[in-house]
Amino acid sequence: HIVAAALRSPAICADSTRTSQALEVLVLWLADSLPKSFESSDAAMGGRTLKDGAADPEEDEIVAAALQGEGGPEGHSDVTSKGHCPWLWLLFESPFPIDLMKSQAAVTLKHWRTVCGILSSKPQAGGIVSHQLPFLALIANKLSKSLIGSLEDASRHLSDPDERSIVYTFALQVPAMSSMCSILQKATVMRNDAQIHFDGNLKAMVNKCLTDFKQVFLMGLQHQNAKVVQTTVSSMQNLLQTPACMLLSPLVMPSLVLALARQPSTLPASAIESAWGVISAMLAGSQAPELVEASTRMAVKLIASIAEYSAASPASFAAHTG
């Protein structure tokens, strides 16, 4: 509460040094309290499976239950069945990280990356992974929902503050999704070894997060603002440079390939080179020979199609060849 109050103070937020000091306290407290919270609350998330025929839980209800230490919606897994999650309160109810990015972007992003690292730190037991994953999914999806709201009207002219807000939120989403993918990768291995069990609620939360994540990048690529498109492509590239995030390829590549294939191109010239960089990163990071082979064929056919179109419009191909 003290840190949250400090982060709401205009005097603190206007001073990068004092903001950094407040966030350092938050990071130290989180690093100490989070593992203990998971270890002491065996049913911190997903304590019961979804009942047959029950609808997916509403995220707002799940978060509210976690903040208040109450059970989730009737018929769903409890978010917390023992105690509450005070650290989650700071991430969902304080200015950190989204609002604080407006005044202290560099300091906030630095500490946000540290927080995401703590949230995805190596667990000592499979059960803790099943606690980490849903909380990371909630946090990542909060960022996705914010972006979806900002990108909803693709033809709307963005003011400079609106444009910066979108860019900043993408910057926050990359470490959040990277951390979630890291935990999801660990959880998949543990699940194959029968060390943990995914209940229906957990699956629904992760699926919702991935679905909204896919929608964010589709909307970003279709936006009329060149800075937004460039940021969307750059975020794809940054994510796919992380091995654990290769599982996101099926979510982001179809919309990117479609944007590249559309002629005349709707991508800004500045984004085209980065877009090809995303495809290169995907090919370089893939561990599946079949995927590499299929993706390589796709890239070659895409280049051939663009070259064929350039016969009628040479300037189009020139944009891709730089």
Side-chain angles (χ1 to χ4, degrees):
H1 290 278
I2 294 174
V3 173
L7 295 177
R8 294 184 188 279
S9 167
I12 298 288
C13 293
D15 187 323
S16 61
T17 300
R18 297 169 76 180
T19 300
S20 182
Q21 290 171 344
L23 292 177
E24 285 170 6
V25 173
L26 166 61
V27 168
L28 289 172
W29 172 75
L30 183 62
D32 178 67
S33 67
L34 184 62
K36 295 177 182 178
S37 172
F38 286 153
E39 290 169 3
S40 64
S41 181
D42 183 58
M45 193 63 121
R48 296 193 301 267
T49 57
L50 284 169
K51 294 181 179 179
D52 291 340
D56 291 345
E58 290 292 332
E59 286 181 27
D60 292 343
E61 294 176 325
I62 293 174
V63 172
L67 298 179
Q68 299 170 15
E70 300 174 354
E74 184 178 355
H76 302 298
S77 305
D78 286 344
V79 177
T80 56
S81 61
K82 299 179 183 178
H84 64 293
C85 302
W87 61 269
L88 192 63
W89 181 87
L90 276 169
L91 299 181
F92 276 84
E93 298 295 332
S94 79
F96 178 75
I98 295 179
D99 292 340
L100 201 57
M101 284 288 284
K102 299 173 184 177
S103 57
Q104 298 292 344
V107 170
T108 302
L109 185 57
K110 172 187 173 182
H111 287 86
W112 177 243
R113 288 171 177 153
T114 303
V115 166
C116 289
I118 293 171
L119 290 172
S120 61
S121 58
K122 185 177 180 180
Q124 299 300 314
I128 296 179
V129 169
S130 65
H131 302 340
Q132 291 172 292
L133 185 55
F135 285 129
L136 278 165
L138 286 173
I139 291 168
N141 210 43
K142 178 187 179 183
L143 297 171
S144 291
K145 288 168 69 176
S146 176
L147 283 168
I148 288 173
S150 300
L151 299 170
E152 198 165 17
D153 185 356
S155 61
R156 178 174 67 93
H157 174 73
L158 296 177
S159 64
D160 287 344
D162 288 340
E163 185 181 89
R164 283 195 299 271
S165 177
I166 292 173
V167 172
Y168 290 160
T169 307
F170 267 111
L172 293 171
Q173 191 190 47
V174 169
M177 287 301 300
S178 296
S179 294
M180 197 196 81
C181 288
S182 176
I183 289 296
L184 187 58
Q185 188 179 59
K186 296 172 186 175
T188 302
V189 173
M190 290 181 173
R191 185 187 183 191
N192 292 337
D193 294 339
Q195 295 183 45
I196 62 173
H197 171 68
F198 286 178
D199 71 7
N201 196 5
L202 179 52
K203 292 178 183 177
M205 294 173 67
V206 173
N207 287 338
K208 179 66 164 60
C209 176
L210 295 177
T211 298
D212 284 355
F213 169 81
K214 178 180 178 180
Q215 182 66 14
V216 164
F217 282 85
L218 177 62
M219 295 172 71
L221 289 172
Q222 294 176 343
H223 207 277
Q224 60 89 29
N225 183 283
K227 182 68 172 179
V228 169
V229 177
Q230 177 64 54
T231 301
T232 303
V233 176
S234 297
S235 296
M236 288 182 179
Q237 191 169 20
N238 290 336
L239 282 167
L240 294 183
Q241 288 173 350
T242 303
C245 292
M246 288 303 299
L247 62 88
L248 299 175
S249 295
L251 301 178
V252 300
M253 293 308 298
S255 56
L256 181 64
V257 170
L258 180 62
L260 282 170
R262 186 180 295 117
Q263 298 297 320
S265 179
T266 57
L267 291 177
S270 59
I272 292 177
E273 182 177 353
S274 297
W276 285 107
V278 173
I279 293 178
S280 298
M282 187 268 293
L283 290 173
S286 177
Q287 300 297 316
E290 299 84 357
L291 179 60
V292 172
E293 181 181 350
S295 300
T296 302
R297 288 200 303 268
M298 175 202 70
V300 171
K301 289 181 179 179
L302 180 58
I303 294 171
S305 297
I306 295 172
E308 183 179 353
Y309 180 83
S310 71
S313 179
S316 174
F317 189 69
H320 290 265
T321 57

